[in-house]
Amino acid sequence: MSKVNEKIKFAGLNLKNPVFTASGTCGYIDELDDYMDIEQLGGWITKSITLKPRKGNPAPRVVETNGGMLNAIGLANIGVEKFVAEKLPLIRQKDTAVFVNVAGQKIDEYVEVASKLSDKDGISGLELNISCPNVKEGGISFGTDPAQIKEITSEVKTACGDKPLMVKLTPSVTDISKTAEAAVIGGADALSLVNTFTAMVIDVRSRTPVLANRTGGLSGPAIKPMAVYLVSRVYQDVAKYAEIPIMGLGGIRNGSDAAEFMIAGASAVSVGTSTFASPDASLRVADGLRRFCESEGIKKISELTGSLN
């Protein structure tokens, strides 16, 4: 039996451990049941949910790179009504924290989706997606302007009711501390960073972009050092003083990677791209993080957060 206390507090929630799945990489809730017991995770973050169903971008919309992958899914999803009717009953069967990622094209759409989820049992919190680079309206268009971030965070927070709101930030800004501060002022209970970096892969023979959307979001090991830096910066400049927890993500593959994010300032982490190679990657990360703490004589996993010398 492990001597490490893996439990953490995150945005007012008591969690089994600090490891989540990352939005957009693991579906709605039950897609990985054949590969692992997700109830052993601290939490699960659903793919983005919008007011109406979305088909997403045309194919091809995923391409592998040397250091990860590009995706341009375009927020394809079943819409909030079908999500509540078909997926929420499955969510309620799982003994783990579930955050629903909320997206839209206009602030009113974000607010309406949040309102429809605010009174639903089984949902632990909402993640505000204002950082998706693969849609023409909404997403990153909100996440680069501090004034808009403050406004949309405030309005969605009001619509959330008692549920905590986590705001997902884009790295595609000049100063991520400014956008993080705007989210905190708007009422965010937690911050999630970072989303993908806008990038392109070209077919050199046809001289055309591989993705039908031309560009996509780069994720995976290639972005990890940049993501760790941005987590550290937001923690030092904003989150530490505001006492706002950070969920760190970007290229996490093992327990050491997770520890790196937590030392930089994250209270929790989420695992995404590595799930495509190993569907049980998030559980492996949780196990590896616990073993790391055991090897270092760390009795409480939360002691890692912000411990950078």
Side-chain angles (χ1 to χ4, degrees):
M1 187 174 181
S2 175
K3 297 180 180 179
V4 178
N5 182 351
E6 299 177 72
K7 296 179 181 179
I8 65 163
K9 275 191 171 292
F10 186 85
L13 301 172
N14 295 312
L15 304 179
K16 299 173 185 177
N17 61 60
V19 180
F20 281 63
T21 60
S23 174
T25 62
C26 302
Y28 299 102
I29 190 61
D30 59 339
E31 285 82 352
L32 299 183
D33 280 351
D34 290 340
Y35 302 97
M36 66 176 183
D37 178 7
I38 69 170
E39 294 185 356
Q40 294 185 45
L41 296 176
W44 179 286
I45 305 177
T46 72
K47 71 187 282 91
S48 296
I49 304 298
T50 53
L51 186 59
K52 301 294 182 182
R54 288 178 60 100
K55 292 182 178 179
N57 293 324
R61 51 190 190 180
V62 176
V63 59
E64 187 176 357
T65 68
N66 288 336
M69 62 178 281
L70 265 67
N71 91 85
I73 304 301
L75 304 180
N77 74 99
I78 59 177
V80 68
E81 298 293 346
K82 198 170 183 180
F83 173 80
V84 169
E86 296 182 5
K87 302 301 180 181
L88 189 53
L90 301 176
I91 287 174
R92 288 174 174 151
Q93 296 174 19
K94 303 296 186 182
D95 180 21
T96 193
V98 176
F99 276 69
V100 178
N101 184 282
V102 174
Q105 293 181 306
K106 301 177 181 178
I107 292 180
D108 289 348
E109 292 182 10
Y110 282 91
V111 170
E112 190 169 351
V113 174
S115 296
K116 290 179 181 294
L117 300 173
S118 63
D119 62 346
K120 299 297 187 293
D121 294 335
I123 297 174
S124 301
L126 303 181
E127 182 180 50
L128 183 62
N129 186 350
I130 52 171
S131 50
C132 175
N134 304 315
V135 290
K136 293 180 180 179
E137 295 182 86
I140 200 171
S141 64
F142 289 114
T144 55
D145 180 359
Q148 287 198 76
I149 291 172
K150 178 183 174 183
E151 179 183 2
I152 192 172
T153 301
S154 177
E155 294 201 27
V156 174
K157 175 59 183 174
T158 299
C160 281
D162 295 332
K163 298 190 187 304
L165 178 65
M166 178 164 58
V167 178
K168 191 169 190 177
L169 301 177
T170 175
S172 301
V173 292
T174 302
D175 187 349
I176 198 169
S177 293
K178 296 292 186 184
T179 54
E181 183 180 36
V184 171
I185 293 172
D189 299 295
L191 301 172
S192 174
L193 59 149
V194 293
N195 208 327
T196 56
F197 289 74
T198 303
M200 177 186 283
V201 173
I202 293 174
D203 182 326
V204 295
R205 297 194 181 279
S206 65
R207 303 185 187 184
T208 58
V210 172
L211 296 176
N213 192 59
R214 298 184 64 83
T215 62
L218 176 64
S219 61
I223 74 168
K224 195 197 79 174
M226 295 182 286
V228 169
Y229 161 68
L230 293 174
V231 166
S232 178
R233 183 168 177 184
V234 169
Y235 177 75
Q236 295 293 340
D237 292 352
V238 179
K240 179 167 64 173
Y241 304 104
E243 297 183 341
I244 294 290
I246 294 172
M247 179 167 292
L249 64 151
I252 296 173
R253 293 178 291 177
N254 51 49
S256 177
D257 291 340
E260 198 172 345
F261 273 90
M262 293 186 72
I263 292 167
S267 296
V269 297
S270 55
V271 180
T273 301
S274 59
T275 303
F276 290 89
S278 300
D280 63 345
S282 50
L283 189 57
R284 290 173 181 263
V285 167
D287 290 340
L289 182 58
R290 181 185 65 254
R291 291 196 302 272
F292 170 81
C293 289
E294 289 173 344
S295 69
E296 294 294 312
I298 297 169
K299 294 183 178 180
K300 291 183 64 176
I301 209 165
S302 60
E303 294 174 3
L304 281 174
T305 298
S307 60
L308 181 67
N309 291 322

